[in-house]
């Protein structure tokens, strides 16, 4: 990487570079940490399946990591995808088979609960495999880390003994955040009960620094039990676990949602108590549903990765995650076409950009600097309209029109466009078609549409999109009494011809659909025929 490119990257206003510069200058002081690398981390609770938030957090963290590697090429980096798979299972998920099998093991670490799917040694291992498969499917570069492995292998032993040493200080940080009843029995250590195998919230009655053990009161029997805090005999309660993990692993950077701000602050205090330095943190906003309410996995009011990828390419989802991570955004089906078209625009520009402009382009980050060279001659939105007027779910029918509009385009030479055609068909059937409402043209509108029909016919079948767009503009301006603004003229065409309130550049649409076909469409509207 040349010095010029590094300078361009450092000047970039793109938020991943801004984050990377702050990490390099403020936390790292321009040097490699003593452990030999910069550690990025993302956390995952494996009681459920990976979701769209998982994708967003790993993608965003990966972009910052890549930006740091560019501006500081001599500093190694690593990314841990950490699974909290030693957590006790609190309830049986609704979306699994063999619920009775799992229900008999409530309270046990997820890695000690039988796998209801029968594919792995435990439910935790099953979901860990799903997480890794999910991340691998998007090509993320990461290293998987299991809490169970870290606790039982001894990797966390030194940190756990440090928590025991700083027991009172840690408790003093956590206790003010708890209710009165919970304070009476709180301990940062949760022993794994030798009798039941469950993760216990038990009262610790004695601590022994010399032996590295605690004595707790069994909440069921009242017996006093002695266990070491190391070797996987105990795990840390969540509010102590996160900060201790930062200390144990030396995490330098981790993102988290707005809802975890108090946990970040508390965990940072615990990390400092143990003698560590908390990681640099980016707090991202949470997603909202179509009603502006916070998305909840339990309510199912959001949009899943699988649902997004049914209607649009993964790159469009990545762009949605890239844009304004600190702003709350509606995550619902109606954002997909606009986001897809924005991605196509960024990708097309990025193929020709250099220097700072390229580093400011989201497509550079989405594609790790290797933006596809393919140009897409049509937007996703205009393809949706083409599907509507063609009344066909056959990609070959759409390609008939596309090939006439862009003679060099073929499914083989334009694989991105071919995928968009198929996405458009599915999206149209599920979301556009059910909401279409065609309205008849008024007499005054019929006059304008008649003139538009005449001028399109004069232009001929070979007229390009710009010529046709100029005709559309001229007709609208000529009928100012009927359409006080050009927006009113465009809206009338959308509602009458396409059955919707918004639409594409009509010149581009007429060119794609074909002048002859567009004239026939206008004839139907003028004659009052149904276009539904």
């Amino acid at each position: 990487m040349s010095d010029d490119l590094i300078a361009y990257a450092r000047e970039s206003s793109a938020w991943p570079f801004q984050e990377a510069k702050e990490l390099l200058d403020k936390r790292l002081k321009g040097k490699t940490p003593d452990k030999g690398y910069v550690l990025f981390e993302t956390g995952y609770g494996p009681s459920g399946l990976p979701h769209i938030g998982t994708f967003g957090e790993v993608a965003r963290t990966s972009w910052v990591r890549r930006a740091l590697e560019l501006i500081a090429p001599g500093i190694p980096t690593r990314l841990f995808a950490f699974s909290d798979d030693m957590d006790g299972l609190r309830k049986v998920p609704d979306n699994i088979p063999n619920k009775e099998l799992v229900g008999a093991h409530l309270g046990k670490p997820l890695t000690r609960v039988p796998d209801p799917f029968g594919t792995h040694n435990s439910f935790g291992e099953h979901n860990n495999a799903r997480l890794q498969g999910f991340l691998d499917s998007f090509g993320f570069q990461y290293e998987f880390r299991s809490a169970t492995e870290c606790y039982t292998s001894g990797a966390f032993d030194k940190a756990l003994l440090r928590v025991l040493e700083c027991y009172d200080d840690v408790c003093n940080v956590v206790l003010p955040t708890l209710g009165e009843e919970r304070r009476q029995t709180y301990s940062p250590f949760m022993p794994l009960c030798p009798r039941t195998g469950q993760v216990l919230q038990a009262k610790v009655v004695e601590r022994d620094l010399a032996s590295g053990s605690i004595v707790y009161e069994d909440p069921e029997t009242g017996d006093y039990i002695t266990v070491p805090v190391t070797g996987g005999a105990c795990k840390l309660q969540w509010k102590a676990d996160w900060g201790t993990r930062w200390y144990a692993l030396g995490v330098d950077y981790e993102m988290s949602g707005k809802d975890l701000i108090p946990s970040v602050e508390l965990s940072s205090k615990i990390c400092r108590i143990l003698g560590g330095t908390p990681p640099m943190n980016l707090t991202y906003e949470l997603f909202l549903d179509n009603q502006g309410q916070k998305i909840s996995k339990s309510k199912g009011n959001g949009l899943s990765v699988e649902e997004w990828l049914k209607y649009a390419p993964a790159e469009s989802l990545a762009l949605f995650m890239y844009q304004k991570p600190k702003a709350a955004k509606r995550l619902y089906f109606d954002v997909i076409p606009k986001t897809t078209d924005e991605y196509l625009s960024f990708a097309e520009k990025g193929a020709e950009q250099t220097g700072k402009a390229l580093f400011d382009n989201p497509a550079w980050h989405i594609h790790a600097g290797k933006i596809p060279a393919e140009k897409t001659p049509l937007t996703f939105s205009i393809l949706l309209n083409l599907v509507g007027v063609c009344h066909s779910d056959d990609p070959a029918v759409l390609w008939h029109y596309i090939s006439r509009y862009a003679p060099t385009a073929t499914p083989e030479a334009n694989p991105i466009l071919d995928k968009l055609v198929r996405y458009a068909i599915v999206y149209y059937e599920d979301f556009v078609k059910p909401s279409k409402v065609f309205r008849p043209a008024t007499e005054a509108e019929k006059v304008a549409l008649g003139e538009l029909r005449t001028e399109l016919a004069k232009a001929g079948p070979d007229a390009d999109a710009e010529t046709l767009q100029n005709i559309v503009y001229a007709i609208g301006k000529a009928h100012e009494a009927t359409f006080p603004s050009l927006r009113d003229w465009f809206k009338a065409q959308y509602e009458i011809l396409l059955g919707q309130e918004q639409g594409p550049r009509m010149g581009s649409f007429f060119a794609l659909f074909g002048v002859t076909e567009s004239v026939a469409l206008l004839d139907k509207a003028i004659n009052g025929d149904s276009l539904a």
Side-chain angles (χ1 to χ4, degrees):
M1 183 64 63
S2 69
D3 291 342
D4 287 343
L5 286 178
I6 294 175
Y8 286 137
R10 288 190 64 91
E11 294 170 4
S12 172
S13 59
W15 69 262
F17 280 117
Q18 295 290 324
E19 287 289 297
K21 284 185 289 185
E22 185 174 358
L23 176 61
L24 178 64
D25 296 340
K26 293 186 178 180
R27 179 181 174 88
L28 304 177
K29 308 298 182 184
K31 299 184 297 184
T32 302
D34 291 341
K35 60 183 177 292
Y37 53 87
V38 178
L39 180 57
F40 294 81
E41 184 185 57
T42 62
Y44 170 70
S47 58
L49 299 178
H51 52 86
I52 203 160
T54 309
F55 173 87
E57 190 166 309
V58 178
R60 289 165 172 168
T61 304
S62 297
W63 293 327
V64 177
R65 178 190 182 190
R66 190 175 301 122
L68 179 66
E69 291 173 341
L70 185 63
I71 64 174
I75 299 180
T77 69
R78 298 170 74 177
L79 169 59
F80 286 178
F82 193 94
S83 171
D84 291 312
D85 56 15
M86 203 169 167
D87 284 353
L89 181 65
R90 296 179 182 86
K91 64 178 182 178
V92 179
D94 294 329
N95 58 347
I96 63 169
N98 301 313
K99 292 184 177 63
E100 299 80 7
L101 174 67
V102 172
H105 296 272
L106 287 177
K108 292 182 181 179
L110 290 158
T111 44
R112 294 190 183 182
V113 176
D115 179 16
F117 298 91
T119 58
H120 293 78
N121 292 327
S122 70
F123 190 30
E125 290 180 41
H126 172 91
N127 284 344
N128 285 341
R130 293 289 296 268
L131 168 66
Q132 293 176 78
F134 176 82
L135 298 179
D136 292 343
S137 69
F138 294 105
F140 290 122
Q141 301 298 310
Y142 67 96
E143 299 172 54
F144 178 76
R145 288 293 183 272
S146 157
T148 299
E149 174 64 21
C150 288
Y151 274 100
T152 58
S153 69
F156 279 0
D157 281 0
K158 181 180 177 181
L160 292 167
L161 291 172
R162 181 63 180 152
V163 174
L164 185 62
E165 185 179 353
C166 302
Y167 189 95
D168 290 333
D169 290 336
V170 171
C171 287
N172 289 338
V173 168
V174 176
L175 288 177
T177 69
L178 305 176
E180 183 60 35
E181 183 178 351
R182 182 72 182 96
R183 291 184 195 180
Q184 303 306 315
T185 59
Y186 175 79
S187 168
F189 292 103
M190 297 194 297
L192 271 64
C193 180
R195 179 173 53 82
T196 65
Q198 294 177 327
V199 181
L200 300 178
Q201 290 188 353
K203 183 177 181 179
V204 172
V205 296
E206 189 177 329
R207 310 188 304 272
D208 187 345
L209 291 177
S211 63
S213 64
I214 59 172
V215 179
Y216 71 91
E217 182 180 348
D218 189 309
E220 288 188 8
T221 67
D223 295 338
Y224 285 180
I225 310 295
T226 302
V227 293
V229 298
T230 54
C234 291
K235 79 170 297 291
L236 291 173
Q237 187 268 350
W238 152 243
K239 293 187 176 184
D241 184 273
W242 203 10
T244 303
R245 186 198 314 166
W246 291 343
Y247 167 74
L249 300 177
V251 178
D252 295 293
Y253 188 94
E254 181 162 1
M255 296 184 182
S256 56
K258 182 180 179 180
D259 56 333
L260 291 179
I261 289 177
S263 296
V264 170
E265 294 173 348
L266 186 147
S267 298
S268 296
K269 292 178 182 178
I270 291 175
C271 184
R272 292 189 184 96
I273 287 171
L274 301 180
T277 302
M280 179 175 154
N281 173 266
L282 180 147
T283 299
Y284 53 81
E285 262 287 0
L286 306 178
F287 297 125
L288 307 175
D289 65 10
N290 61 326
Q291 302 299 322
Q293 301 297 313
K294 188 177 78 170
I295 284 177
S296 166
K297 287 187 289 183
S298 60
K299 291 181 181 178
N301 61 333
L303 182 62
S304 71
V305 171
E306 292 77 14
E307 287 170 328
W308 186 296
L309 298 183
K310 179 181 178 182
Y311 303 110
E315 292 82 1
S316 63
L317 175 57
L319 176 62
F320 184 84
M321 295 298 174
Y322 180 92
Q323 293 174 316
K324 299 180 180 178
K326 295 183 180 181
K329 295 184 290 187
R330 290 176 62 255
L331 176 59
Y332 211 65
F333 295 100
D334 56 1
V335 306
I336 292 177
K338 179 177 181 290
T339 307
T340 301
D341 283 340
E342 288 174 344
Y343 161 72
L344 295 173
S345 177
F346 283 126
E348 184 170 341
K349 292 176 182 176
E352 300 175 353
Q353 289 173 323
T354 58
K356 181 178 179 296
L358 179 59
F359 292 140
D360 286 344
N361 189 325
W364 185 90
H365 300 269
I366 291 169
H367 291 286
K370 300 177 182 178
I371 302 173
E374 177 185 338
K375 290 187 176 182
T376 307
L378 295 166
T379 66
F380 188 62
S381 298
I382 205 168
L383 287 174
L384 289 173
N385 289 295
L386 179 61
V387 176
V389 295
C390 288
H391 300 291
S392 175
D393 59 2
D394 184 355
V397 172
L398 271 69
W399 269 104
H400 165 75
Y401 291 95
I402 294 170
S403 298
R404 186 173 56 188
Y405 176 83
T408 61
T410 66
E412 296 74 25
N414 299 79
I416 295 176
L417 179 58
D418 190 44
K419 289 180 181 178
L420 289 176
V421 167
R422 299 170 191 276
Y423 286 131
I425 291 171
V426 179
Y427 188 93
Y428 175 84
E429 287 295 323
D430 287 356
F431 297 107
V432 181
K433 186 176 180 179
S435 63
K436 274 188 175 291
V437 179
F438 292 87
R439 72 167 177 84
T442 65
E443 292 304 315
E445 289 171 337
K446 286 181 180 180
V447 174
L449 292 174
E451 291 185 19
L452 177 60
R453 178 238 185 263
T454 299
E455 293 302 316
L456 291 183
K458 286 182 182 178
D462 296 329
D464 61 23
E466 198 60 34
T467 298
L468 300 179
Q469 184 70 9
N470 289 335
I471 291 173
V472 174
Y473 271 116
I475 300 296
K477 291 178 179 178
H479 289 267
E480 188 175 354
T482 304
F483 310 106
S485 72
L486 283 174
R487 177 178 295 181
D488 297 323
W489 168 229
F490 298 140
K491 184 179 180 183
Q493 293 175 78
Y494 300 150
E495 293 175 344
I496 296 166
L497 302 177
L498 303 177
Q500 57 200 47
E501 293 185 355
Q502 297 179 337
R505 281 171 57 92
M506 291 307 293
S508 298
F509 170 75
F510 290 142
L512 173 62
F513 190 44
V515 171
T516 302
E517 289 83 352
S518 298
V519 167
L521 184 68
L522 287 163
D523 282 338
K524 287 185 178 181
I526 295 166
N527 294 333
D529 298 337
S530 173
L531 298 182

